[in-house]
């Protein structure tokens, strides 16, 4: 009985996510068609000028560009669904292969950044909430404002520049080491990027924690627990914090999109070969097939994380579960 | 939720003269210290952008002078000069003007399209709501910076296409912000009364719905403006923003990367300007929210 009640919204959410993903594929397809000039020029670059009209026609037929757009779309979608994300015309490497290399980098960076954000944001939020409008509150709010106000690219450039030019610490100048090849160098290379990216998300985490703690603390059950004689430390930990974490989890999930956007910038600054760098490099080289597929992969990642957050939220908040 | 919005609505149902609302809002914003700081900072930047737009800068932002390369700040060059001997202060001021222009156009485009779509979806419901919400969900599935980056890399680049690229990612935010309260407003009695008197949907939406969500929209415009400034700077930093030789705060930071220790002013000037601009807009947004959002009044 309970499972049936729970299944309905879950199924609806999954269906919604699938529908959104289909929309993403359409959007990415349209974006690629919006490129000025035709596809042949995009693929062959300046060499396209040397092509005769017949050659152009046969190339268009070869790439299926003479088909109606809707046919082109479903052909493309079909190949994407069977794992063919296209090829880089420069290196001949498949985008699937490239993504298999770059996805773990971005995932590792994201996880570390979220860890930094939680480790900074939650204690700071609790500290600020412990006495509102006191010095500690202003301090917490100030750090949050700095997190919102300092652009990721500025902080990243600054941290990298200071470390490299003043202290000679520049592990990111070395060739990227994968976690399982050289864990020590890998963690050194991930250290600064994770701090920079994490700092940006620490601000919303801090603000959410502060608001949630203040709200939970004013609820009746806290007064009851206090009256019952629950020791203050235990009250803070198992009553207030535990219940405040629900919005924090949702908030962190929602920040994931921002994280992926920020990863584009941070990976570029710190030379990490992740998804973001893959996109920017492809854009600079006008490799639109790579851009198209990578953007789609990032959207897929984002939609999946949002779905997971939604489902997790249902699990951890008994009030949502009961509805 | 619907009850709190309902009190908002009745409170604002009879809008007094526009100028009085404006001055009352300003007074309310100026009551909080952060509101005062926000107004001052944003005012300073409006002045800076105005001076730059009027061509009243002490030096031309693009004039190179090999005799004064990498000079530290002085009376002649307030923020020093860069590696090409250009005056950093003039470049920062014209970068602020450029950011403001891009952000303003991006906010106007996303705000108008998003708000209209949000009101239509929330008021008409049905098929238009389904369609608009589907498009909104799809656009939300892309990180907004990535969306802007992709569009900017595809378009022929000038400041206007950069603004459009940024606007696409922000329009869905306005859709959500507008749609929510409209769902509650459409059930209000005075809206039903307007409908009963034969008023048509477009008039109801412009005369009865829109005026009641302007407070929320003004706050959202301020916040979105700060995100647009940030997005423009990030795009310029990555090499996909306003093309050179126009000065942009983002590309100035990029150019200063290797000079950071040798000539710190080349990075600090555009960097701190950007931080101050974003913080100022956020403070103003916070002040406006406290002043305009009745749910937060008295807190």
């Amino acid at each position: 009985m309970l499972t049936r009640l729970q299944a309905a919204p879950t199924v609806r959410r999954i269906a919604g996510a699938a529908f959104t993903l289909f929309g993403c594929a359409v959007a990415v397809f349209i974006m690629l068609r919006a490129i000025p000039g035709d596809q042949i020029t995009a693929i062959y670059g300046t060499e396209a000028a040397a092509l005769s009209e017949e050659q152009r026609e046969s190339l268009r037929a070869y790439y299926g560009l003479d088909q109606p757009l809707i046919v082109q779309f479903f052909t493309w979608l079909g190949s994407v669904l069977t794992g063919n994300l296209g090829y880089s015309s420069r290196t001949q490497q498949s985008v699937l292969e490239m993504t298999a290399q770059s996805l773990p980098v971005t995932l590792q960076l994201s996880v570390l950044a979220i860890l930094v954000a939680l480790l900074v944001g939650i204690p700071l939020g609790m500290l600020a909430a412990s006495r509102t409008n006191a010095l500690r509150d202003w301090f917490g709010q100030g750090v949050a404002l700095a997190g919102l106000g300092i652009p990721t690219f500025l902080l990243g450039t600054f941290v990298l520049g200071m470390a490299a030019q003043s202290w000679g610490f520049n592990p990111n100048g070395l060739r990227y080491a994968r976690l399982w090849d050289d864990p020590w160098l890998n963690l050194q290379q991930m250290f600064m990027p994770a701090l920079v990216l994490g700092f940006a998300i620490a601000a919303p985490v801090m603000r959410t924690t502060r608001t949630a703690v203040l709200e939970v603390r004013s609820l009746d059950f806290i007064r009851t627990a206090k009256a019952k004689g629950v020791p203050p430390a235990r009250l803070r930990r198992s009553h207030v914090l535990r219940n405040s974490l629900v919005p924090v989890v949702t908030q962190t999930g929602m920040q994931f999109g921002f994280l992926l956007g920020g990863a584009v910038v941070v990976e570029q600054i710190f030379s990490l070969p992740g998804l973001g760098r893959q996109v920017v490099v492809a854009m600079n080289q006008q490799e639109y097939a790579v851009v198209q597929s990578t953007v789609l992969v990032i959207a897929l990642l984002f939609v999946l994380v949002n779905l997971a957050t939604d489902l997790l939220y249902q699990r951890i908040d008994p009030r949502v579960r009961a509805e | 939720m619907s009850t709190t919005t309902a009190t908002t609505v009745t409170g604002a149902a009879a809008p007094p003269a526009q100028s009085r609302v404006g001055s009352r809002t300003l007074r309310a914003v100026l009551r909080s210290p952060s509101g005062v700081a926000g107004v001052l900072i944003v005012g300073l930047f409006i002045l800076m952008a105005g001076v730059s737009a009027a061509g009243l800068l002490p030096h031309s932002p693009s004039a190179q002078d090999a005799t004064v390369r990498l000079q530290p700040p002085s009376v002649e060059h307030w923020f020093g000069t860069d590696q090409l001997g250009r005056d950093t202060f003039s470049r920062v001021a014209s970068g602020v003007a450029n950011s403001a222009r891009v952000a303003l156009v991006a906010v106007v485009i996303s705000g108008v399209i998003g708000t209209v779509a949000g009101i239509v979806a929330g008021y008409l419901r049905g098929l238009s709501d389904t369609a608009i919400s589907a498009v909104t969900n799809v656009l939300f599935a892309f990180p907004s910076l990535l969306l802007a980056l992709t569009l900017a890399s595809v378009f022929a680049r000038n400041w206007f296409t950069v603004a459009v690229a940024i606007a696409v990612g922000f329009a869905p935010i306005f859709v959500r912000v507008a749609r929510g309260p409209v769902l509650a407003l459409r059930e209000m009695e005075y809206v039903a009364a307007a409908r009963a008197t034969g008023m048509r949907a477009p008039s109801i939406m412009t005369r009865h719905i829109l005026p009641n969500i302007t407070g929320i929209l003004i706050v959202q415009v301020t916040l979105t403006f700060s995100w647009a400034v940030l997005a423009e700077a990030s795009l310029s930093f990555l090499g996909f923003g306003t093309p050179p030789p126009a000065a942009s705060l983002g590309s100035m930071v990029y150019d200063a990367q290797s000079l950071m220790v040798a000539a710190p002013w080349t990075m600090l000037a555009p960097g701190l300007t950007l931080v101050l601009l974003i913080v100022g807009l956020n403070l103003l947004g916070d002040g406006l929210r406290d002043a305009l959002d009745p749910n937060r009044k008295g807190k």
Side-chain angles (χ1 to χ4, degrees):
Chain A
M1 185 62 201
L2 193 73
T3 40
R4 250 179 64 197
L5 276 176
Q6 265 179 322
T10 307
V11 168
R12 216 172 42 228
R13 284 214 167 82
I14 293 173
F19 184 74
T20 301
L21 274 176
F22 178 78
C24 291
V26 175
V28 166
F29 183 78
I30 292 172
M31 262 191 267
L32 192 82
R33 303 297 124 163
I35 297 169
D38 68 28
Q39 298 284 306
I40 302 299
T41 321
I43 297 165
Y44 287 87
T46 46
E47 288 167 38
L51 295 171
S52 72
E53 205 46 50
E54 290 90 67
Q55 282 174 315
R56 252 175 202 281
E57 277 313 306
S58 66
L59 278 171
R60 287 178 68 80
Y62 175 71
Y63 286 107
L65 294 171
D66 52 351
Q67 304 284 323
L69 269 184
I70 188 94
V71 176
Q72 287 186 40
F73 172 71
F74 280 104
T75 314
W76 172 72
L77 190 65
S79 61
V80 165
L81 288 177
T82 50
N84 177 5
L85 294 177
Y87 290 83
S88 153
S89 54
R90 286 168 76 94
T91 61
Q92 307 302 326
Q93 209 184 1
S94 81
V95 180
L96 191 67
E97 241 170 80
M98 291 164 73
T99 306
Q101 302 266 332
S102 57
L103 183 63
V105 179
T106 302
L107 285 181
Q108 191 195 354
L109 177 63
S110 307
V111 169
L112 290 176
I114 287 177
L115 221 57
V116 170
L118 294 178
L119 286 177
V120 174
I122 294 179
L124 211 57
M126 290 174 67
L127 183 77
S130 65
R131 194 180 292 166
T132 46
N133 288 323
L135 186 64
R136 57 181 90 162
D137 192 17
W138 289 110
F139 171 73
Q141 304 253 37
V143 174
L145 196 59
L148 288 176
I150 302 177
T152 311
F153 76 84
L154 182 63
L155 187 64
T157 310
F158 188 76
V159 168
L160 179 74
M162 281 312 270
Q165 293 171 38
S166 297
W167 308 314
F169 175 71
N170 188 15
N172 298 87
L174 302 171
R175 209 183 126 83
Y176 174 73
R178 285 181 296 186
L179 182 63
W180 50 91
D181 288 341
D182 185 348
W184 176 232
L185 181 58
N186 173 275
L187 288 179
Q188 278 182 304
Q189 289 176 328
M190 283 286 175
F191 176 66
M192 290 190 286
L195 276 188
V196 169
L197 197 52
F199 182 64
I201 338 166
V205 170
M206 178 269 165
R207 288 192 161 184
T208 313
T209 309
R210 180 179 176 274
T211 318
V213 166
L214 286 178
E215 198 172 319
V216 170
R217 232 176 35 192
S218 69
L219 295 177
D220 288 344
F221 82 94
I222 297 294
R223 197 181 48 201
T224 313
K226 245 187 241 167
K228 246 171 34 178
V230 176
R234 206 180 115 81
L235 186 78
R236 272 200 300 274
R237 208 178 45 243
S238 6
H239 291 75
V240 178
L241 182 61
R242 204 190 139 98
N243 286 290
S244 306
L245 285 182
V246 175
V248 176
V249 169
T250 328
Q251 174 69 26
T252 312
M254 274 166 19
Q255 289 299 319
F256 195 75
F258 177 81
L259 196 76
L260 288 175
V264 175
V265 175
V266 169
E267 287 172 6
Q268 191 65 15
I269 295 173
F270 291 96
S271 318
L272 294 176
L275 283 174
R277 198 168 160 82
Q278 183 171 315
V279 164
V280 174
V281 168
M283 282 171 183
N284 277 320
Q285 298 174 340
Q286 304 197 314
E287 293 247 41
Y288 291 109
V290 182
V291 174
Q292 184 181 26
S293 304
T294 315
V295 169
L296 195 61
V297 169
I298 294 177
L300 170 76
L301 205 59
F302 188 22
V303 170
L304 288 182
V305 169
N306 274 345
L307 182 67
T309 315
D310 251 14
L311 298 180
L312 185 69
Y313 179 63
Q314 280 182 42
R315 296 242 155 240
I316 60 174
D317 191 343
R319 284 166 299 185
V320 181
R321 204 162 52 209
E323 268 167 23
Chain B
M1 181 62 217
S2 62
T3 48
T4 50
T5 321
T7 45
T8 317
V9 168
T10 38
Q18 284 296 317
S19 61
R20 270 186 51 210
V21 176
S23 67
R24 209 174 50 206
T25 306
L26 188 65
R27 270 206 303 278
V29 170
L30 291 176
R31 254 198 298 270
S32 69
S34 68
V36 174
V39 168
L40 284 180
I41 296 171
V42 172
L44 177 77
F45 281 115
I46 291 174
L47 185 72
M48 207 172 181
V51 166
S52 164
L56 297 173
L57 292 173
H59 299 270
S60 156
S62 54
Q64 305 183 7
D65 182 354
T67 59
V68 290
R69 284 201 299 219
L70 295 177
Q71 300 264 312
S74 62
V75 180
E76 176 63 21
H77 298 286
W78 299 347
F79 291 174
T81 60
D82 68 3
Q83 67 274 33
L84 298 172
R86 295 175 295 194
D87 180 55
T88 308
F89 175 76
S90 302
R91 285 184 70 70
V92 165
S94 103
V96 168
N98 174 55
S99 292
R101 181 172 64 173
V102 171
L104 191 68
V105 172
V107 170
V108 167
I109 295 175
S110 59
V112 170
I113 295 178
T115 305
V116 170
I119 293 179
V120 167
Y123 184 75
L124 295 182
R125 305 297 314 268
L127 192 64
S128 52
D129 189 17
T130 312
I132 290 170
S133 298
V135 173
T136 309
N137 284 339
V138 167
L139 287 177
F140 264 126
F142 299 99
S144 59
L145 182 63
L146 183 72
L147 198 57
L149 194 62
T150 311
L151 291 171
S153 78
V154 165
F155 291 150
R157 212 168 310 136
N158 57 52
W159 71 268
F160 186 75
T161 54
V162 171
V164 173
I166 293 172
V168 173
F170 291 154
I173 300 174
F174 281 98
V175 176
R176 288 221 176 143
V177 166
R179 184 180 170 273
V182 172
L183 286 178
L185 281 167
R186 74 192 289 272
E187 308 298 336
M188 301 294 297
E189 276 171 21
Y190 77 93
V191 174
R195 219 178 289 139
T197 57
M199 205 170 181
R200 296 194 14 218
S203 324
I204 296 179
M205 286 190 266
T206 45
R207 293 232 210 114
H208 292 301
I209 305 283
L210 182 63
N212 284 311
I213 57 171
T214 40
I216 316 165
L217 288 175
I218 289 171
V219 175
Q220 193 54 49
V221 160
T222 319
L223 291 179
T224 310
F225 197 93
S226 84
W227 299 335
V229 166
L230 183 60
E232 190 278 328
S234 305
L235 287 183
S236 297
F237 177 84
L238 290 171
F240 292 94
T242 320
S248 161
L249 298 174
S251 55
M252 285 179 78
V253 170
Y254 182 83
D255 290 340
Q257 271 178 329
S258 55
L259 300 165
M260 222 178 83
V261 174
W265 58 88
T266 54
M267 171 163 294
L268 289 179
L272 291 180
T273 302
L274 192 55
V275 173
L276 197 61
L277 180 56
I278 295 169
V279 167
L281 286 165
N282 271 294
L283 290 174
L284 182 64
D286 285 351
L288 281 169
R289 181 171 15 205
D290 291 343
L292 293 170
D293 186 350
N295 296 331
R296 288 170 64 109
K297 255 183 201 155
K299 270 191 190 172

